[in-house]
Amino acid sequence: MSSQTLREARQYEEVYEKLIPAEERPKFHLSPRVGWMNDPNGFCIYGDKYHMFYQYHPYDAHWGPMHWGHAISSDLLHWEFLPAALAPDEFYDKDGAFSGSAITLEDGRHLLIYTGVMKRTVENGQVKEFQTQCIAIGDGVDYEKYDANPVINSDLIPEGSSKTDFRDPKIWKKDDGSYRCLVANRAPDGSGHLLLFKSDDCIHWDFEKIFAKNERRYGLMWECPDFFELEGKGVLLTSPQDMLPEGFEFHNGNGNICIIGDYDSATDTFTEEKVQAVDYGIDFYAMQTIKTLDGRRVMIGWMQNWDTSGAHDGKEPWFGQMSLPRELSIKDGRLCQWPIKELEDMRSGKVECKDALVAATQDLKASDSESIQGGVSFDGVKGRCVDLELEVKPANPDDMYDRFVISIAADEKYHTDIVLRPKENIAKIDRKFSGSRRAIVHQRRAHIPWNGDSIKVRIVLDRYSMEVFFEDGLYVMTASLPTDVSCDGIYFNTNKDAIVNIVKYDLQ
């Protein structure tokens, strides 16, 4: 039987969802049914549908007491909302049902595992937040919390590790039928480590080992871990808080990292080999993956940034969206991401420009001042729901441009820029002219070792976002866009003559 708290949330979202026109949402990125969305939760296949749960505050467009929102899809691009799955309605989760994951049990029931948050006063009078791992079991729509929650309590945490930073359980089933659960925790040195628990039934859990250690290298607390095997390697994804920059690989604040290494399944031993950023843009966090029925590993992240997510009008009917689903592979030892192939089924209205000249703009100097003034546009190459494939090369192979600028979501006043600087091996995204009225993070740079004079870029736009794929997906830069959807121009600028090949599709 659902609680009064959950019934009220379900009634609220059913009423207020109707006040949000479909054309005021992203077309093919999941947004909250109403109110606030952050981390993806419980990304899975159950029955014949993909399920996505998400951190959710239905009552306004700012973070609040965390519920779990719920949506289903047949293709990961078109979503149908279901009633909220969880609400903070028990003593152990009264201050929030935080992030987690999901799995199908042997008997066909659906299990959600999540972090229950409870604040309580400790000996010195301070109020502290305690986090434990809890489960709810259901049928894909309605879920009952387990009578003996929490199932992973603080007494299972290793000596010296934090009892207040203990969250975001990621569950999976092993070939022998047993289960593992990876939980983010803070180590005695103050930085993150990931704890591994094991179970035969998903209900009774034992601590197995410390699975991975940060040792103060990549930020402090590691959030939202995901682990899987891919092409003979173990792949660990996590989102560190409080990162320090390292060149253009990692940026300040809340980031995302991928660790690729060897994994011995028999002993659950993961040996780190290579560390990289997952997304080099502004808005990407808390990614989760699934293995599709046809064997692809697909990742979705929260397309926002904790350092900027408070800078919006809370009176908006919704805030937050998920990224494009991305197929993952390993290429040259790096994690490679590419838009899910189902996106190509949405393509229509092909426009192609072959060997088109973009003439140098005299006042486009090698500075940070981008402008669409004097930029080139091409007939039919515009829009805010588009899939754009672009190849850029110098008109004279002996006279390479210093800077090539692609301006999207543009009109005479507004534009967001993708800047290619091949001599420096730098790509930059810049949304300071996108219509934002706050001095939030507007720029990011990535170091991309381009090979040769030809640079290929794929840009996917969906009303309020852009996702830019370089080098066939070896580097990705993502940003949400506040620009009014009426700004649909796409312009090209260069400081030296360049030749472009463009294939542009509308996404219907």
Side-chain angles (χ1 to χ4, degrees):
M1 182 67 67
S2 63
S3 68
Q4 180 65 22
T5 306
L6 183 60
R7 287 195 297 271
E8 288 174 358
R10 288 180 164 191
Q11 290 165 0
Y12 185 92
E13 63 183 0
E14 185 174 346
V15 170
Y16 284 90
E17 173 200 12
K18 298 171 184 175
L19 303 180
I20 307 174
E23 59 272 16
E24 293 182 9
R25 291 184 178 275
K27 185 177 286 187
F28 51 92
H29 290 71
L30 178 62
S31 58
R33 190 171 183 182
V34 63
W36 164 278
M37 163 193 281
N38 59 283
D39 306 351
N41 296 161
F43 186 26
C44 64
I45 298 170
Y46 183 66
D48 61 350
K49 298 288 186 184
Y50 296 105
H51 287 247
M52 177 66 83
F53 304 84
Y54 52 90
Q55 290 286 273
Y56 182 40
H57 183 231
Y59 298 112
D60 69 40
H62 282 121
W63 192 93
M66 284 289 97
H67 299 57
W68 273 35
H70 191 188
I72 56 173
S73 176
S74 297
D75 62 0
L76 294 171
L77 296 167
H78 301 89
W79 294 91
E80 172 191 346
F81 291 115
L82 292 181
L86 299 175
D89 53 16
E90 297 287 350
F91 76 92
Y92 51 78
D93 64 13
K94 66 183 179 63
D95 295 301
F98 277 17
S99 295
S101 52
I103 201 164
T104 301
L105 297 173
E106 288 289 336
D107 60 10
R109 294 180 299 162
H110 200 212
L111 180 141
L112 312 181
I113 185 165
Y114 69 98
T115 298
V117 181
M118 176 178 61
K119 294 178 181 177
R120 64 174 189 254
T121 303
V122 294
E123 294 80 8
N124 61 6
Q126 279 187 314
V127 176
K128 284 198 169 184
E129 187 179 89
F130 289 86
Q131 301 178 347
T132 56
Q133 314 319 313
C134 310
I135 60 173
I137 300 173
D139 60 5
V141 178
D142 297 307
Y143 296 85
E144 291 288 333
K145 294 178 181 177
Y146 181 53
D147 287 344
N149 272 337
V151 295
I152 305 178
N153 216 324
S154 58
D155 56 2
L156 293 177
I157 298 174
E159 184 69 29
S161 297
S162 173
K163 298 181 184 302
T164 57
D165 286 311
F166 179 50
R167 56 185 176 270
D168 309 336
K170 169 64 180 184
I171 193 171
W172 71 91
K173 187 176 182 180
K174 299 195 67 172
D175 291 340
D176 64 4
S178 64
Y179 299 90
R180 297 295 183 271
C181 185
L182 200 59
V183 186
N185 185 237
R186 195 182 292 273
D189 67 2
S191 68
H193 62 190
L194 303 178
L195 307 181
L196 189 67
F197 298 84
K198 59 184 178 181
S199 173
D200 291 327
D201 59 6
C202 283
I203 295 173
H204 303 92
W205 293 89
D206 294 306
F207 174 69
E208 183 176 358
K209 62 168 38 176
I210 297 174
F211 188 77
K213 297 179 180 180
N214 180 10
E215 295 175 325
R216 303 186 72 86
R217 294 172 299 160
Y218 309 109
L220 296 178
M221 178 68 182
W222 280 0
E223 294 196 307
C224 302
D226 195 334
F227 180 77
F228 52 92
E229 295 180 74
L230 181 65
E231 299 174 20
K233 291 293 183 182
V235 180
L236 176 63
L237 306 178
T238 189
S239 294
Q241 296 179 317
D242 305 309
M243 291 190 77
L244 293 172
E246 291 187 22
F248 294 126
E249 186 67 27
F250 303 115
H251 58 73
N252 309 65
N254 298 284
N256 51 77
I257 65 171
C258 168
I259 304 175
I260 298 174
D262 279 330
Y263 174 58
D264 181 350
S265 180
T267 61
D268 287 320
T269 301
F270 177 62
T271 306
E272 176 183 317
E273 292 178 343
K274 183 175 177 56
V275 183
Q276 65 172 87
V278 178
D279 192 294
Y280 294 82
I282 300 171
D283 296 312
F284 194 81
Y285 197 76
M287 48 280 173
Q288 285 199 350
T289 72
I290 58 165
K291 189 174 184 179
T292 63
L293 294 176
D294 61 1
R296 292 171 290 160
R297 178 62 58 171
V298 173
M299 175 181 71
I300 291 180
W302 179 44
M303 199 157 48
Q304 260 301 329
N305 174 344
W306 284 116
D307 292 318
T308 67
S309 60
H312 69 280
D313 186 351
K315 298 184 180 68
E316 297 165 351
W318 65 271
F319 180 81
Q321 54 187 316
M322 297 302 177
S323 74
L324 192 67
R326 303 171 186 178
E327 296 179 15
L328 302 182
S329 59
I330 296 176
K331 181 179 178 183
D332 299 329
R334 288 185 58 84
L335 186 73
C336 187
Q337 308 165 57
W338 199 243
I340 193 170
K341 67 181 182 181
E342 286 82 351
L343 187 70
E344 296 172 18
D345 296 334
M346 296 176 60
R347 288 173 164 179
S348 66
K350 181 179 181 180
V351 175
E352 195 166 6
C353 302
K354 290 187 176 180
D355 295 325
L357 174 67
V358 178
T361 304
Q362 293 300 316
D363 60 353
L364 190 68
K365 304 191 185 298
S367 70
D368 278 345
S369 177
E370 327 300 358
S371 170
I372 65 168
Q373 300 303 315
V376 174
S377 62
F378 298 98
D379 288 344
V381 181
K382 64 177 186 177
R384 288 289 289 274
C385 287
V386 303
D387 191 348
L388 179 70
E389 297 175 350
L390 176 72
E391 181 187 21
V392 189
K393 51 192 174 184
N396 179 354
D398 297 323
D399 194 18
M400 186 69 167
Y401 55 85
D402 299 285
R403 202 162 48 121
F404 187 95
V405 182
I406 309 151
S407 297
I408 55 97
D411 65 5
E412 294 79 8
K413 185 174 183 179
Y414 301 111
H415 55 97
T416 292
D417 301 317
I418 302 151
V419 185
L420 311 179
R421 295 179 173 173
K423 293 181 179 179
E424 304 166 78
N425 285 317
I426 293 293
K428 183 180 80 168
I429 58 174
D430 185 344
R431 64 177 181 190
K432 64 178 173 286
F433 296 110
S434 65
S436 169
R437 296 182 181 274
R438 298 291 186 91
I440 59 175
V441 180
H442 287 319
Q443 298 182 9
R444 286 268 195 260
R445 293 172 176 84
H447 178 264
I448 300 177
W450 283 300
N451 296 311
D453 293 338
S454 176
I455 295 175
K456 293 182 178 179
V457 183
R458 184 176 178 186
I459 305 167
V460 179
L461 305 179
D462 182 9
R463 289 183 177 146
Y464 306 104
S465 65
M466 71 173 188
E467 290 161 272
V468 189
F469 299 82
F470 301 94
E471 294 295 280
D472 297 319
L474 285 176
Y475 299 83
V476 187
M477 302 183 80
T478 298
S480 59
L481 301 177
T483 320
D484 190 276
V485 292
S486 63
C487 301
D488 63 356
I490 299 176
Y491 295 88
F492 305 91
N493 249 314
T494 181
N495 75 318
K496 294 182 181 179
D497 290 358
I499 299 296
V500 296
N501 290 303
I502 301 169
V503 181
K504 172 255 176 183
Y505 301 92
D506 293 318
L507 292 171
Q508 300 295 339

